[in-house]
Amino acid sequence: MNKNKPFMLIVMMLAFCFMLLSGCSQEYKQEEVFRLFSENLSKQDYANLYSILSKESTEYISEEEFVTRYHNIYSGIQANSVNIKKNKPANEKDVIPFSIEMETVAGKVDVTDYQLKLVKEKGEWKIQWNDSLIFPNMQRGDKIRVKISQAKRGSILDRNGNPLAKDGEIKTVGINPSIFDKNDREKKIKQLAAILEISEEEITKKLDENTNPDYFVPIVDILPDNEKLKRVEEIREDGIFIYNKPSRIYKNHEGFGRLLGYVGSINAEELEKHKENGYSASSLIGKAGLEQVYEDTLRGSDGAEIYIERDEEKVKTIAKKEPKNGQDIRLSIDSELQAKIYDEMNRDKGSAAAVNPKTGEVLALVSSPSYNSNRYTTYVTREEQKLREENDFADEENRFSKLYSPGSVFKLITSAIGLEKGIIDPEKQIQMNGRSWQKDRSWGNYSITRVNHQSSVNLKDAVKYSDNIYFAMSALDMGSEDFIAGAKQFGIGEELKIGYPLTTSQISNDGSLNSEILLADSGYGQGEIMVTSLNMALAYSTLSNNGNIMTPTLVQTNNQNAAVWKEGVISPEHLSTLNNAFTAVIHEEGGTASNSKIFGVLLAGKTGTAEIKVSKDDHAGSENGWFVATDLETSKISLAIVLEDVKEKGGSRAAIPIGKNTLSAYMQR
């Protein structure tokens, strides 16, 4: 028996265990290097990643080059959510196969054929790096390119399919300094500034900020049909150039600005808010109006291709996403009517709305003064800026979304409530003494006044002459509960879901009418009642639509059908009574809106003056003037107009010519 056999067996077993442990240790250390590689690349910590490269790799590329290369490529493709996974073990020794998933400008990228080669240096495992670890198939000197395919933004169309906002081309007027500066520089600056109606300082500043005389210096963007462009073209040989530029183009009329809004370059706050929606620092985004409200619908999704370029040739596509154009939206707006109303308002402060009584389609939404949306994609002349400053930048307020006290135009609603509740007997003559009235002495010094002088009035007279006392008495007789319920039947206090955010009207500040004075004032449209012009256009549409209010719509959809929003607001037995009273306002002598009569057109309507007071004792407050009318025979239109600050302009009469001229033109079409 060999006495050394047990000893040899022990030695062999120890050697085997040592080899096993050594292999496990080696494998563990390689896994640790892969973990560090994965973590640093996922976090895009390229400096730490460089620290685990082999000596040969660091001789191949410096740390600065390494960090810059990774940063430029990953930021260029907008890499995020980088996820690195180890694949099945490779046949090759000291190689770890892996894959990378990431979100990029071209969508999700999933590359599976990476090879992480490891070498041992001074007892430590290091990464043998080359460009194929950025993307497989990459070689030294290769570049990663991103080609963006611009998506088309959806157009905004009017009811007839005419574009109100669309993608197109504008012109950029600019200067080539190397030619422009050769002679008469100051003279040409002065000449160009005069043509474009901008300051000479603005041109000089842009030229002085340029560092290369061969660079084109853009001065202004301008619409292709702008008359100024023809004059610029006459002096092009002196170093002035005109280039095409893709841009958003809008209906070239101020009356559409507050409705359409505009697009502009995305800012940091917007980019942060929409960071999950594919926007980049160069994106355009809706800033106001419909462009903002329907951003998600109108906005397209740009396409992109990420590829490897070698010797200025594309050698491999890494990822590609096709562009997806935005969707068009078609409005119910009648462009001709919208422009006509705005022109008639002559930039006076106010609002107007028009609806089709039979369908509920919103035919016009006007805020005055407004702006030409093209100024946000082109430029503002000195004259335009001066007008804005003189008007205290009034075009920055959206008045068709603004709430106004309705004044006497609310008397239709009070009349309808009173008739439906049996409170108002239309034939009953109510005795009136003088032009002021209060219920009793509990009202103190407060009284309600009227402008007419009739000693007795019935419903028709009260409407025709706009008798405040009659409607204050009627509101008190019906009580706050019935008055509020009746007003709600006309949609007062209810959100108007037209596809554009409007301020919701109110019956009072807290929704109740707990004071007798407040209830009485509300009866003739004062108190705390607040409405939009669209609210009143819809209210008067009942007279042209059998007492019903249709669901108001601004954006048209396929297979869209008209639907009743408020049914039977005015019952058939009272409709003729109200039509008779509110046509008298226009068609009978002495009616407050008799100046609005149009030959051959049967209109029912009302004027209204709303006093804007800081307190009940305020005698120096301003006044807003209303005119509302609806055509009874064709039921084509119900129109409401409100003008601000009409105290020195004839009160509510200031709105009558606007309504008459608009309706006359519209009814003749």
Side-chain angles (χ1 to χ4, degrees):
M1 183 176 179
N2 188 344
K3 295 181 179 179
N4 294 326
K5 190 173 181 180
F7 176 77
M8 292 298 294
L9 184 60
I10 292 171
V11 170
M12 290 173 65
M13 289 177 65
L14 288 172
F16 175 76
C17 290
F18 177 78
M19 291 172 62
L20 185 63
L21 289 171
S22 177
C24 291
S25 175
Q26 174 176 305
E27 185 178 340
Y28 169 77
K29 288 180 179 179
Q30 288 185 348
E31 287 289 337
E32 179 65 12
V33 173
F34 179 75
R35 183 186 68 79
L36 291 172
F37 170 80
S38 301
E39 285 184 0
N40 289 320
L41 187 56
S42 297
K43 293 187 296 184
Q44 299 181 34
D45 186 349
Y46 309 124
N48 272 334
L49 181 57
Y50 187 81
S51 69
I52 55 175
L53 300 192
S54 68
K55 184 181 182 208
E56 183 181 342
S57 300
T58 58
E59 291 172 351
Y60 172 82
I61 187 169
S62 70
E63 181 176 355
E64 183 180 358
E65 290 175 311
F66 181 86
V67 171
T68 301
R69 187 151 171 73
Y70 261 109
H71 173 76
N72 289 346
I73 290 174
Y74 269 49
S75 62
I77 66 175
Q78 297 178 29
N80 63 83
S81 303
V82 180
N83 184 26
I84 301 167
K85 295 180 180 178
K86 183 180 177 183
N87 295 340
K88 291 181 180 180
N91 296 325
E92 190 177 348
K93 186 181 178 183
D94 301 333
V95 173
I96 300 177
F98 68 96
S99 59
I100 296 181
E101 291 180 357
M102 66 178 86
E103 294 295 332
T104 71
V105 66
K108 187 175 181 180
V109 171
D110 187 359
V111 183
T112 61
D113 50 347
Y114 285 96
Q115 301 284 314
L116 187 69
K117 295 182 180 181
L118 303 175
V119 295
K120 202 167 189 180
E121 294 179 350
K122 296 181 180 180
E124 293 186 357
W125 288 101
K126 297 287 187 178
I127 294 171
Q128 191 73 19
W129 190 91
N130 60 45
D131 290 82
S132 67
L133 285 177
I134 300 177
F135 284 110
N137 302 310
M138 276 191 72
Q139 300 176 9
R140 188 165 195 170
D142 287 355
K143 297 176 181 177
I144 296 296
R145 297 295 192 190
V146 177
K147 180 181 178 182
I148 301 295
S149 301
Q150 294 286 342
K152 182 180 178 183
R153 189 175 178 87
S155 298
I156 302 175
L157 311 171
D158 72 4
R159 64 183 299 105
N160 298 314
N162 300 312
L164 303 177
K166 65 177 182 178
D167 285 355
E169 283 189 342
I170 57 177
K171 303 288 185 179
T172 296
V173 175
I175 291 171
N176 184 331
S178 63
I179 302 174
F180 187 84
D181 292 347
K182 283 183 178 179
N183 54 71
D184 297 328
R185 182 182 193 262
E186 299 306 317
K187 178 181 177 182
K188 287 186 289 188
I189 288 175
K190 186 174 184 179
Q191 184 181 19
L192 185 61
I195 293 172
L196 296 175
E197 293 185 58
I198 60 177
S199 69
E200 297 172 34
E201 291 76 16
E202 185 176 344
I203 299 175
T204 301
K205 181 181 178 183
K206 289 181 177 181
L207 288 174
D208 291 346
E209 288 175 348
N210 178 54
T211 58
N212 190 326
D214 292 322
Y215 283 173
F216 174 77
V217 180
I219 303 300
V220 298
D221 293 329
I222 192 168
L223 291 176
D225 58 355
N226 193 312
E227 289 296 320
K228 296 180 178 64
L229 200 58
K230 294 180 180 178
R231 296 177 60 194
V232 173
E233 288 174 343
E234 294 173 358
I235 57 174
R236 288 180 67 171
E237 294 180 359
D238 293 325
I240 298 170
F241 292 85
I242 301 171
Y243 293 117
N244 292 331
K245 177 182 178 180
S247 177
R248 195 71 164 164
I249 297 179
Y250 296 96
K251 177 79 172 177
N252 197 19
H253 191 286
E254 275 191 0
F256 295 83
R258 289 268 29 136
L259 178 61
L260 297 176
Y262 57 93
V263 296
S265 297
I266 196 167
N267 59 38
E269 183 180 348
E270 292 164 335
L271 187 57
E272 176 64 23
K273 180 180 178 181
H274 298 282
K275 62 183 178 182
E276 303 298 327
N277 299 324
Y279 288 88
S280 70
S282 61
S283 294
L284 296 177
I285 192 169
K287 296 283 189 176
L290 289 163
E291 289 279 29
Q292 184 179 53
V293 174
Y294 288 91
E295 169 68 15
D296 292 342
T297 301
L298 294 166
R299 173 181 174 251
S301 175
D302 289 345
E305 181 182 12
I306 302 172
Y307 61 90
I308 300 173
E309 181 184 273
R310 183 177 303 149
D311 298 327
E312 299 185 355
E313 294 287 337
K314 179 167 65 175
V315 295
K316 183 176 178 61
T317 295
I318 296 168
K320 187 174 183 179
K321 181 179 73 173
E322 297 296 332
K324 184 179 179 182
N325 292 333
Q327 300 176 44
D328 296 344
I329 60 171
R330 184 188 291 260
L331 309 179
S332 55
I333 293 294
D334 184 307
S335 292
E336 190 175 339
L337 177 64
Q338 178 92 3
K340 176 64 175 176
I341 295 172
Y342 185 81
D343 291 343
E344 289 292 337
M345 293 180 78
N346 196 31
R347 304 189 93 250
D348 286 340
K349 295 177 184 177
S351 164
V355 298
N356 182 316
K358 292 294 185 183
T359 66
E361 293 171 297
V362 178
L363 302 175
L365 275 179
V366 177
S367 176
S368 177
S370 183
Y371 56 78
N372 189 323
S373 294
N374 290 300
R375 84 176 182 204
Y376 291 98
T377 56
T378 57
Y379 74 107
V380 180
T381 66
R382 283 182 297 180
E383 183 62 26
E384 288 174 308
Q385 186 64 16
K386 181 182 176 183
L387 286 173
R388 294 189 71 209
E389 291 171 359
E390 289 175 350
N391 214 3
D392 201 22
F393 298 96
D395 59 1
E396 293 182 355
E397 182 174 8
N398 187 351
R399 287 176 167 79
F400 66 70
S401 181
K402 181 179 177 179
L403 296 180
Y404 292 90
S405 175
S408 290
V409 296
F410 199 82
K411 289 171 181 175
L412 169 64
I413 295 176
T414 304
S415 300
I417 299 169
L419 290 172
E420 295 297 323
K421 295 296 181 181
I423 301 300
I424 292 178
D425 178 350
E427 301 303 324
K428 183 179 179 181
Q429 293 286 331
I430 305 297
Q431 298 299 312
M432 299 288 179
N433 296 314
R435 294 192 176 183
S436 65
W437 172 84
Q438 60 175 204
K439 181 186 175 186
D440 53 42
R441 291 182 180 179
S442 67
W443 285 18
N445 294 327
Y446 188 76
S447 62
I448 292 168
T449 60
R450 59 177 182 156
V451 294
N452 57 307
H453 59 273
Q454 286 73 21
S455 59
S456 68
V457 293
N458 59 16
L459 175 62
K460 180 180 176 180
D461 295 331
V463 171
K464 178 179 175 180
Y465 300 119
S466 201
D467 195 306
N468 291 342
I469 296 174
Y470 180 94
F471 287 99
M473 290 177 171
S474 298
L476 288 171
D477 288 343
M478 64 184 74
S480 62
E481 187 175 329
D482 283 346
F483 185 88
I484 291 171
K488 287 181 177 179
Q489 282 295 305
F490 280 84
I492 306 302
E494 188 171 335
E495 181 183 359
L496 289 176
K497 297 179 180 180
I498 66 168
Y500 190 104
L502 301 176
T503 309
T504 300
S505 58
Q506 65 174 47
I507 293 167
S508 71
N509 294 341
D510 63 5
S512 66
L513 296 172
N514 295 326
S515 156
E516 279 189 342
I517 292 176
L518 182 59
L519 175 58
D521 283 344
S522 299
Y524 60 94
Q526 288 282 172
E528 296 171 355
I529 295 174
M530 300 292 282
V531 297
T532 64
S533 54
L534 182 57
N535 281 121
M536 299 319 299
L538 289 167
Y540 277 74
S541 73
T542 56
L543 301 178
S544 299
N545 191 36
N546 303 315
N548 301 316
I549 302 178
M550 306 303 288
T551 301
T553 56
L554 175 64
V555 177
Q556 298 181 325
T557 58
N558 293 332
N559 304 316
Q560 180 172 306
N561 296 314
V564 176
W565 178 42
K566 301 291 182 181
E567 186 172 7
V569 176
I570 301 172
S571 57
E573 62 265 30
H574 298 135
L575 188 59
S576 60
T577 299
L578 290 172
N579 279 343
N580 185 42
F582 284 87
T583 54
V585 174
I586 294 173
H587 293 275
E588 292 188 9
E589 186 177 347
T592 57
S594 58
N595 289 340
S596 66
K597 184 163 52 178
I598 302 169
F599 179 77
V601 178
L602 183 61
L603 297 174
K606 189 74 182 72
T607 57
T609 303
E611 296 180 335
I612 313 302
K613 296 182 177 181
V614 177
S615 67
K616 291 178 181 178
D617 299 323
D618 179 12
H619 299 293
S622 62
E623 292 180 353
N624 294 336
W626 286 83
F627 174 70
V628 187
T630 185
D631 77 290
L632 298 181
E633 291 181 337
T634 65
S635 300
K636 287 173 61 176
I637 186 172
S638 177
L639 172 67
I641 300 163
V642 55
L643 293 180
E644 299 177 16
D645 304 321
V646 296
K647 198 168 188 178
E648 306 302 323
K649 301 176 183 178
S652 61
R653 289 192 298 273
I656 291 177
I658 299 170
K660 178 178 180 178
N661 293 340
T662 297
L663 290 169
S664 180
Y666 186 76
M667 298 301 292
Q668 290 176 23
R669 284 161 52 183

